[in-house]
Amino acid sequence: MQEKPLRLATLPRRRLLALGGAAVATALAPVAAAAPVSAAPPRTDPFTLGVASGDPLPGGVVLWTRLAPEPFAPTGGLGFVSRPVRWQVAEDAGFTRVVRSGTATARAEYGHSVHVDVRGLRPGRVYWYRFRCGGHLSPVGRTRTAPAADATVRSLRFAVTSCQSYTDGFFTAWRHLAAEDLDLVFFLGDYMYEGAVNSTGGDRADTGLRLPEIFQLATDTLDLYRLRYALYRTDPDLRAAHAAFPWVPTWDDHEVQDNYAAGVPRFDISAEDFLVQRANAYRAYWENQPLRRPRQPAGAGMPLYRRLRFGDLATAHVLDTRQYRSDQACGDGVKPDCPDRHDPARSLLGADQRGWLLDGMGRSGTRWNILAQQIIMTELLYSGRFDMDKWDGYPVDRQAVLDTAARVPGTVVLTGDIHFNYAADLRADFRQPGTPAVGVELIGTSISSAGDGSDTTPALDRQRKDNPHVLFANAQRGYVRCELTPDALRADYRVVPYVTRRGAPITTRASFTSDRDRPGLAPA
């Protein structure tokens, strides 16, 4: 079973009601009037949350920072005043060859975040970047642009990451990942966990942080969402991983609320109030991720699914399996089969995103299609029952994807969410284990959640027997390191033995390969 830390008390789900009233008006209202811009420099270092880059293009990349000299103050210690921020991109770490520079505004109404969409860079090149605010200089970040769309690419190295609960362990895996030789990082959801944060409990009791009492609230205000992101970004290992590589992020549920489905909350709050919560959460998510301005939310909606190309080698289809889904079937949770699960009117992706994905897979023109998404796609039986929050709860959408994969070689699904490592073959019919695989799925564990985990559990052993297409199952923490070449995929499951105290080493627990034209995982 998956682990879900920092959970509020579970109450019955409520169906989406007709929208109206002041709460909905608040959620859909435009941004408040722009704050005045002040050139007065901050008195102390405003770059406490580090720097990041993301969504690389052949000639560009997004650069991010957020000013917060006092990260646990609601406005980061800057008040409702915007600040000018200089930025530079160079071909060397010493910034002797600066190739792009400019000034952005850290706007108070967007949490003093900065999103610079740098263009005019060379394809497939490493660059370094930094920011300046007054006399304060940010840490230096390293990034890489994507290869040209028509370039012949021999290798793409990336990591599969997800799920980091601050109070459930140290982010040691990020420190090890920052030392890897990668082109980019896919982060597949649960960047932070909603709900109260207790700085004196859990496995982070020795950090010395003394958080304000506001962190003890389990509420949905914009300020609280911003503060939770600030708390996570105070971690030096997470900041190092952001500064080392460009990231391609997407969300899952805990960035808003556990197991929510589109406009349907899990907990017993009105649909109107949940729409406000979702608007606050989406706003804070955009403010704290290296995403382009077209991804900026409008009220309670945010256009997150998107596509990135890496020469002739790979196309990454980044999915959103939360915002458009039908409510979970059979009452949610792990349940026996039921007719509602097979209703063709139900969708995980929504009609528009599903059409976009299927068309994009068929027309990508690259050797590989990467589906960077949140929840397990492969069938995973729990003693004959199904987890209705996963693709198992939406078999019609899944079959459409698998049927497309059967016609288009080179499908690799990257998955997070469940806090376990799995490696699985994707089949057009999971009930016929002798049929050829149509693709493979790499399910990565959490960076930290619910303690150290273990190499295996009796439940995982049973799952392996019940699901012969699952080749590997592991309950430790870490990430998956991958390399794509024109003809093959290699995946290394990198795990740390403990996250409840500092200093854990890292080891490769298992490795698998798969041929592009004959999909199916084999031990490396």
Side-chain angles (χ1 to χ4, degrees), residues 251-268:
W251 57 35
D252 191 20
D253 52 348
H254 284 289
E255 287 88 353
V256 182
Q257 184 190 90
D258 183 26
N259 275 32
Y260 83 96
V264 183
R266 172 171 183 165
F267 305 116
D268 192 25

Side-chain angles (χ1 to χ4, degrees), residues 284-298:
Y285 182 84
W286 182 82
E287 291 174 352
N288 287 278
Q289 299 296 335
L291 295 166
R292 289 187 169 81
R293 289 195 177 275
R295 305 294 161 198
Q296 183 176 325

Side-chain angles (χ1 to χ4, degrees), residues 245-495:
F245 316 106
W247 282 36
V248 178
T250 188
W251 57 35
D252 191 20
D253 52 348
H254 284 289
E255 287 88 353
V256 182
Q257 184 190 90
D258 183 26
N259 275 32
Y260 83 96
V264 183
R266 172 171 183 165
F267 305 116
D268 192 25
I269 62 174
S270 70
E272 294 91 339
D273 286 342
F274 179 67
L275 195 62
V276 175
Q277 179 178 349
R278 202 179 87 168
N280 289 333
Y282 285 8
R283 173 83 164 272
Y285 182 84
W286 182 82
E287 291 174 352
N288 287 278
Q289 299 296 335
L291 295 166
R292 289 187 169 81
R293 289 195 177 275
R295 305 294 161 198
Q296 183 176 325
M302 181 172 163
L304 188 60
Y305 66 86
R306 59 205 190 276
R307 190 174 287 128
L308 300 169
R309 179 169 175 140
F310 301 91
D312 66 349
L313 182 63
T315 299
H317 312 268
V318 185
L319 305 186
D320 175 357
T321 61
R322 285 292 160 190
Q323 188 172 183
Y324 312 108
R325 66 160 65 191
S326 305
D327 194 9
Q328 286 91 338
C330 316
D332 200 4
V334 178
K335 299 290 179 61
D337 202 359
C338 67
D340 191 29
R341 191 173 78 95
H342 304 276
D343 183 350
R346 299 181 66 255
S347 177
L348 178 66
L349 301 174
D352 289 346
Q353 183 180 195
R354 181 176 58 200
W356 168 89
L357 172 62
L358 300 180
D359 181 69
M361 291 174 65
R363 296 174 179 267
S364 71
T366 54
R367 296 285 293 172
W368 297 88
N369 280 304
I370 300 171
L371 276 58
Q373 56 96 51
Q374 299 77 8
I375 53 175
I376 288 184
M377 182 177 288
T378 191
E379 183 176 271
L380 192 65
L381 292 173
Y382 295 83
S383 300
R385 300 179 299 166
F386 300 92
D387 189 335
M388 300 302 170
D389 190 58
K390 308 299 185 286
W391 285 81
D392 271 341
Y394 304 83
V396 175
D397 270 13
R398 177 174 63 194
Q399 197 62 52
V401 174
L402 295 178
D403 289 346
T404 302
R407 298 190 301 270
V408 182
T411 298
V412 179
V413 177
L414 310 179
T415 300
D417 175 63
I418 203 166
H419 306 175
F420 296 119
N421 285 309
Y422 294 95
D425 289 339
L426 294 171
R427 303 188 186 281
D429 186 346
F430 291 104
R431 304 305 171 88
Q432 298 186 36
T435 58
V438 300
V440 299
E441 184 172 13
L442 309 175
I443 300 105
T445 186
S446 62
I447 296 293
S448 67
S449 63
D452 292 328
S454 59
D455 185 46
T456 189
T457 68
L460 290 181
D461 292 339
R462 287 195 300 272
Q463 282 182 354
R464 286 285 310 278
K465 294 178 181 178
D466 292 343
N467 302 276
H469 49 278
V470 174
L471 282 72
F472 172 66
N474 166 272
Q476 292 172 299
R477 311 293 170 228
Y479 54 89
V480 188
R481 181 182 65 196
C482 302
E483 182 175 12
L484 278 182
T485 62
D487 298 319
L489 160 73
R490 181 186 174 98
D492 299 315
Y493 285 79
R494 305 276 280 163
V495 302

Side-chain angles (χ1 to χ4, degrees), residues 21 158 215 464 478:
F158 57 88
F215 275 95
R464 286 285 310 278

